[in-house]
Amino acid sequence: MTFDVPPPSGRRVASADEWCLLPAMSAAGSLLAAVPAAGALLLTVAMRPREVGAVAPLRLAVVRAVLLTGVYAVLVVDLLGALHALTRPAFAAAWLLFLAAAATAAGLRQRRATRTAPTLTAAPRPVPVGAVVSGGSADPPAAAERGATGPDPTPTRAVRAPSGLLAVALDAWRTAGRGERLLAGAIGGLVLLELLVALLAEPNNFDSQTYHLPKVEHWVAQGDLDFWPTAIHRQVTIPPGAEYFLLHLRLLTGGDHLYNLVQWAAGLLCLLVAARITAQLGGSRRAQLLTAFVLATTPMVVLQATSTQTDLVCAAWVTCAATLVLDGLRRRTGWGTVLGLGAATGLTAVTKTSGLIAVGPLLLLWGLAQLRLALTASTATPGPTATSTASPDPTAAGAASPDPTAAGGDRRPRPVGGLARTVGASVLILLVAAVVVGPFLARVTAEFGHPLGPPRLRESIPMERHDPQSILVNALRIGHTAFDTPLAPLRRAGAEAIIDGAGAIGVDPQDRAITFGREIFPEPAWYPDEDRVAFPLTGALVLIGAVVALARPRRIDPEQAGPLRAYAVVVLAAVLLHTSMIKWQPWGNRLILYAVVLAVPLAGLWLDALFRRRRANPGRSGARRSVATLTAVTVLATSALAGVLALSYGFPRRLVGAGSVFTTSDWDTRFLRRPQWADEFRWAATAVRDSGARRIGLVQQNDNWEYPWWLLLRQPDGGSPDLVALQSVLPERPPADPASVDAIVCTGSRPACTKLVPAGWRLEFRGYVGYALPPGR
C-alpha cells in the first residue's frame, strides 16, 4: 500500500499567473459572509429556553438556532434555484432579511426577559455544595460525590446578559480542577488550530475536486439547480446539503477561501452537542469535558474539521436530532421541538442519507417515550409539576422542550399530549423533513425514475446481500478497518482470521455484493488521512462505554439507568444497521463518523464514572481500580497525542513538514493529493486561454478532477467559464456535440479523449491532462 506523498515545501507565494486565476474575496464579500453567522448568533439569543432548569440551555439554544439557520439556507437555495435566481444579489438580500428578522426576535426576547426578570429567578433550593452549574442546571453526579447541600450558587434565569455568561464561565474556570482545566485547554487549543488550518488551506479533498465543488460551480454558471450532462454521476445524484452551504459562501464571497469553515463549524457543533447529550444522561462537568476531549482528539474529526468533505456536517445534524430526542424521554415534547426534530431529520437526509440510519432509531425511541408519557398521563391527574422548575431530576427538567420558533415570553411550551397528538407530531416531523429534502428527491425522481437515483448508485454502496453470514463478514471487516493500528502484524493476523472465518461460513470476503467497487480487503487505515484514518482509541472507549451502559448502567449513574440503556441501544442499533446496509470500503471509517460522534458520550460517562468510583472508594479493590484508572489516563494521553499528530502531520492539510499550510503555495496546496497534476492542468489551461476559446468541452471519467478547470478557465471578469460535457451518464441529458465547442480539455484517459476529438484537430497530452484545439488556433 502506498500513500500520497506531499511535494517538497516552498514559499507560500503564488505566481502572477496563479493570482490572476484564483478567485479573490473582496471586503464586501467578507462582510456578507459574516451575515449568516451574525444571524445565527442573534437567533441563539432569541431561542434560549424560557423555562428554568433546562439542561445546558445555551447549547440547546445553539442547536435550535443552527437548525433554523440550516433549514433557511436550504430553502433559500431551493426557492431561488426554482426562480433561476442563484445570484449574489439575491443571496445577499435573503441573508440581510434573515439578519433583520433574527435581530428583531432577539430584541423582543431581551425586552420580554427584562420585563419578567423578577418572576424568572429561581428560589433557593437544596443542591449540593459546590455543585457545578452549567447553563442553569446543577451537576448531579458531582453533587452526589460531595454529599452536602446549600443554596443554588447562581439564580437561574431564562436569559443571561453577555456579562452574566462571562461571569459564569470565569466562575466555572475558577472552580474547575487541574484535570478539567487541562481537558478544556486541550479542546480549545485543537479547535483554534483547526480554525487556523481551515482558513489558510485551500480546498484539496479528492472527492471535492471531482464532484463536491464542481456541482457548486455548475449551479453558479446555470443560475439554477437543474441537472446537467456529466460523466460524473455523483455531481447530480449524491445529496447536496453540505454543498448548499458552500454555494452560499461562493456567491457571497466570490470564491472558495472560506469553504473549509463549513466542516469546522460542524465539528464545533458536534463537540457542543455531544457534551450536552452527556449532561442529559446525567454527566457531570468532568464527564462533558471528557466527552468533548475524546471526540476532539479523534483523528478523523481533527482532519475533517479542515476539509470540504461532508461527514461532519451529517454527524452534526444527527447529534442535533439525538439531543432533542433525549429532551423528550421524560417530558412531553413541545411543538417547537417537534419542528426541530423534523428539521434535523430533513437536514440529515439532504446532506447524507446514511445518517438516517441513526436518525431512524432515535425517532423510534422518541415516539415510544412520548407514547409512554401519553398513556401514563391519561391515568394521572395533571398538576403544576408538569412544568415545575424545581424538579429534582435535572435531566427531566431539561427535557422540557419549549417552542424554538417563538421569539420570547415566559409561556410554558404546549405539551404534545395523548395518543392522537403523538401520532400527529410524528407525522409533522416527517412533513417538515419532506419540505427540506423533498425538492432534491423530486429532481432525482424526475430524472431517474427513483428517489434514490440510478441503479449504479443504488447498487454500488448499499449491501446487496443480507443473509446473516454476509452481514457478519461485512461487520467484521468494517470493525477491522475502524480499529486499525500501525502494528502491521496485528493487522495481518486480524485480516487473516476474518478471511479464514468468512471462508468457513461460505462467504467470499471480496464478494462484490458486500464490497464497494473493485476494492480488496484488507486495506491499511492507520495513516492520518482525512478519508480513511482509523480511530482505535476512540472506538475502544466507546465500545467499553456502550457495554457498561447496556449491561450495568447503574455503575455509571443509578438515577439514569433507563435513559442510559435506551441511548446505548440506539447507538448499537445504528451500528448494526450500518454494517448490514453499507458495503465495506477502504474509506468506510468516514462514512461511520456519525455513529462515532453519537456514541462518544457513552465513553465520557464511563470514564467519569471510573474516576469517580476510584475517588469515592479508595480502599475497596484499590489495586484493580488503580490499574483501570491508570490505563484510562494512558489511553486519554495517547488520544491527545494522536489528535495533535493528526493536526500537525495529517494529510492533505498539515501544520508542519512537507506540504505545510505555512510553506506551500496556494496552488500547490490544492494539488497535494496529486502534485504532478498541478503543472499539467496549468499547461493545458494556458494553451486553451491563449487560443481565445469561449465554449470548452470536457472529456473525463467518473473519478477525474473537474474543479481545476473552473478555476483556471474563468472569464477575465471573474465570471464562470462556459464548460460543457462531451459525455453524459444521464439518459435524458445528452452531451454537447464536439463540433460545437472551441476547444476540448481532457483528464484521465487519452484514448477516451481521442475518440471525441474531431478530425483535423490538434491533440496534446501530458500524463493525466490533455487538450485539443481546432486548426488555426
Side-chain angles (χ1 to χ4, degrees):
M1 176 64 188
T2 60
F3 295 100
D4 299 313
V5 179
S9 60
R11 292 184 305 160
R12 188 177 171 76
V13 178
S15 68
D17 287 341
E18 290 171 10
W19 281 119
C20 72
L21 297 172
L22 300 180
M25 183 171 66
S26 64
S30 301
L31 292 175
L32 286 175
V35 171
L41 289 175
L42 289 170
L43 279 182
T44 301
V45 175
M47 293 188 170
R48 287 273 293 185
R50 289 173 303 223
E51 80 282 6
V52 182
V55 172
L58 180 57
R59 279 172 274 173
L60 177 57
V62 170
V63 169
R64 294 169 175 174
V66 169
L67 287 175
L68 183 54
T69 304
V71 168
Y72 182 80
V74 170
L75 295 183
V76 163
V77 171
D78 282 326
L79 177 60
L80 294 181
L83 297 175
H84 305 282
L86 297 181
T87 63
R88 186 180 191 185
F91 273 65
W95 281 113
L96 290 173
L97 178 63
F98 178 83
L99 180 64
T104 301
L108 291 174
R109 180 62 188 276
Q110 288 290 75
R111 284 198 292 271
R112 291 179 183 178
T114 302
R115 245 186 352 254
T116 58
T119 63
L120 289 174
T121 301
R125 65 177 189 264
V127 297
V129 171
V132 176
V133 176
S134 175
S137 64
D139 181 344
E145 281 185 29
R146 296 174 176 90
T149 60
D152 190 343
T154 53
T156 305
R157 297 169 59 101
V159 179
R160 284 195 181 97
S163 59
L165 292 173
L166 178 60
V168 170
L170 292 175
D171 182 67
W173 181 261
R174 284 194 297 267
T175 59
R178 184 182 304 172
E180 292 176 344
R181 291 184 179 183
L182 185 62
L183 291 172
I187 295 166
L190 283 172
V191 169
L192 291 177
L193 286 174
E194 289 163 5
L195 175 60
L196 178 65
V197 175
L199 290 171
L200 290 179
E202 284 66 38
N204 60 1
N205 173 263
F206 195 102
D207 285 347
S208 296
Q209 305 281 3
T210 300
Y211 67 96
H212 289 308
L213 304 189
K215 72 169 65 173
V216 175
E217 295 301 324
H218 278 285
W219 294 332
V220 173
Q222 297 176 172
D224 57 41
L225 300 174
D226 290 346
F227 291 163
W228 52 89
T230 178
I232 304 173
H233 76 87
R234 291 175 293 175
Q235 291 182 358
V236 297
T237 56
I238 299 294
E243 290 89 340
Y244 281 174
F245 302 125
L246 300 182
L247 175 63
H248 285 276
L249 291 175
R250 170 67 173 84
L251 288 173
L252 292 177
T253 67
D256 60 10
H257 297 81
L258 300 182
Y259 278 6
N260 292 331
L261 293 186
V262 172
Q263 281 263 106
W264 178 84
L268 180 60
L269 182 62
C270 286
L271 295 179
L272 295 174
V273 181
R276 182 173 192 263
I277 290 173
T278 305
Q280 290 174 286
L281 295 173
S284 65
R285 179 172 63 185
R286 182 176 61 191
Q288 296 173 52
L289 287 171
L290 285 167
T291 294
F293 178 83
V294 172
L295 184 58
T297 56
T298 301
M300 180 65 76
V301 174
V302 172
L303 293 169
Q304 287 234 359
T306 63
S307 172
T308 47
Q309 267 292 4
T310 62
D311 304 286
L312 272 180
V313 178
C314 174
W317 302 136
V318 171
T319 52
C320 286
T323 196
L324 295 180
V325 164
L326 288 178
D327 276 345
L329 291 189
R330 293 185 176 178
R331 300 296 290 274
R332 307 281 184 81
T333 298
W335 288 112
T337 300
V338 170
L339 295 176
L341 284 169
T345 303
L347 289 168
T348 302
V350 80
T351 301
K352 213 175 187 71
T353 51
S354 57
L356 295 176
I357 294 173
V359 174
L362 283 168
L363 292 180
L364 179 60
L365 174 63
W366 172 86
L368 292 175
Q370 291 296 298
L371 286 175
R372 178 182 63 82
L373 291 171
L375 294 175
T376 54
S378 64
T379 60
T381 302
T385 56
T387 57
S388 170
T389 62
S391 169
D393 184 349
T395 302
S401 300
D403 185 349
T405 63
D410 62 344
R411 296 176 291 106
R412 303 299 177 191
R414 294 182 60 188
V416 180
L419 178 61
R421 296 192 69 181
T422 302
V423 173
S426 302
V427 173
L428 181 58
I429 290 172
L430 297 179
L431 288 176
V432 173
V435 169
V436 177
V437 72
F440 168 70
L441 294 181
R443 291 193 297 272
V444 173
T445 303
E447 189 72 31
F448 301 104
H450 195 287
L452 298 182
R456 65 184 300 173
L457 177 64
R458 303 198 302 271
E459 296 169 1
S460 61
I461 297 177
M463 288 274 286
E464 298 176 77
R465 290 181 55 179
H466 297 92
D467 55 284
Q469 299 94 322
S470 296
I471 293 174
L472 175 61
V473 172
N474 194 54
L476 291 174
R477 294 183 304 167
I478 290 175
H480 180 273
T481 304
F483 285 82
D484 190 24
T485 70
L487 303 176
L490 182 62
R491 181 189 312 118
R492 285 194 298 268
E496 290 172 0
I498 293 173
I499 293 172
D500 293 342
I505 59 176
V507 176
D508 179 4
Q510 316 300 346
D511 186 354
R512 296 302 101 187
I514 62 174
T515 305
F516 177 80
R518 301 178 182 178
E519 306 302 326
I520 301 296
F521 174 82
E523 187 77 17
W526 62 268
Y527 186 79
D529 183 296
E530 65 174 354
D531 286 334
R532 66 179 69 202
V533 63
F535 33 81
L537 298 176
T538 301
L541 292 173
V542 162
L543 184 60
I544 296 172
V547 169
V548 174
L550 284 169
R552 306 289 294 274
R554 294 185 179 277
R555 282 182 171 269
I556 295 177
D557 190 339
E559 297 181 1
Q560 299 290 334
L564 273 168
R565 181 171 283 153
Y567 188 78
V569 167
V570 167
V571 171
L572 178 63
V575 173
L576 292 178
L577 287 172
H578 184 98
T579 56
S580 64
M581 297 174 67
I582 306 296
K583 294 177 179 178
W584 174 87
Q585 54 185 282
W587 313 277
N589 288 339
R590 66 178 182 81
L591 298 184
I592 204 170
L593 185 59
Y594 70 90
V596 174
V597 176
L598 197 66
V600 164
L602 297 175
L605 288 162
W606 172 73
L607 285 168
D608 182 61
L610 177 66
F611 297 144
R612 190 171 65 244
R613 286 198 306 273
R614 180 179 180 275
R615 179 180 298 180
N617 302 291
R620 184 180 177 185
S621 304
R624 185 172 59 186
R625 283 200 177 91
S626 296
V627 171
T629 302
L630 180 62
T631 302
V633 170
T634 303
V635 170
L636 289 175
T638 309
S639 181
L641 179 62
V644 171
L645 290 177
L647 185 59
S648 301
Y649 296 99
F651 196 71
R653 290 165 305 281
R654 56 177 54 171
L655 285 172
V656 298
S660 165
V661 294
F662 296 114
T663 61
T664 308
S665 74
D666 297 351
W667 186 249
D668 288 336
T669 298
R670 296 176 183 274
F671 285 86
L672 282 173
R673 284 284 187 192
R674 298 291 187 270
Q676 67 275 19
W677 293 350
D679 289 336
E680 294 179 9
F681 270 99
R682 198 160 40 198
W683 159 77
T686 299
V688 170
R689 286 199 321 274
D690 291 346
S691 72
R694 296 290 183 181
R695 182 175 167 88
I696 303 164
L698 288 173
V699 178
Q700 55 195 0
Q701 287 72 57
N702 186 57
D703 205 31
N704 289 174
W705 285 18
E706 179 181 316
Y707 186 59
W709 298 126
W710 291 96
L711 297 177
L712 290 165
L713 298 174
R714 283 180 180 267
Q715 300 294 337
D717 62 357
S720 298
D722 185 8
L723 296 178
V724 295
L726 302 185
Q727 310 141 291
S728 179
V729 294
L730 277 65
E732 304 299 323
R733 308 278 174 174
D737 184 349
S740 69
V741 300
D742 303 322
I744 296 174
V745 291
C746 310
T747 51
S749 171
R750 177 167 184 158
C753 186
T754 302
K755 291 179 181 179
L756 292 170
V757 173
W761 283 38
R762 174 170 58 92
L763 174 62
E764 302 284 345
F765 228 92
R766 282 189 185 177
Y768 179 76
V769 177
Y771 70 91
L773 294 173
R777 286 187 180 269

